[in-house]
Amino acid sequence: MNDANLIRMAHQIADFYAPYTEAEAIEGVAVHIRKFWDPSMRDRLIALSQTPDAGLSPTLTAAITRLIALS
């Protein structure tokens, strides 16, 4: 899977949680990615989050930080 599709999918998950509180959204995105994504996809998303021009939303960036903590 290419990086653009990976980021698009992650943003779709974050968009789903947009109506929730910030804390619930961050936790929801992190848990969803941890439970349902292949480890290689998770690892790539984490690597992409380390680049300044990845284009990740603040909620997604926070969720990735939470995902790292859950690992």
Side-chain angles (χ1 to χ4, degrees):
M1 174 171 302
N2 71 37
D3 294 347
N5 282 338
L6 198 65
I7 291 171
R8 180 186 54 78
M9 289 172 45
H11 276 120
Q12 287 176 327
I13 297 165
D15 289 345
F16 173 83
Y17 285 99
Y20 292 76
T21 67
E22 183 178 4
E24 290 171 326
I26 291 166
E27 186 70 14
V29 172
V31 168
H32 179 91
I33 291 172
R34 187 173 130 240
K35 280 181 152 180
F36 299 109
W37 282 30
D38 183 84
S40 65
M41 293 170 62
R42 288 193 307 261
D43 292 344
R44 183 63 190 146
L45 183 63
I46 290 168
L48 288 169
S49 73
Q50 306 304 313
T51 61
D53 60 343
L56 304 178
S57 70
T59 300
L60 187 51
T61 301
I64 292 169
T65 300
R66 178 70 180 127
L67 178 63
I68 293 167
L70 291 172
S71 298

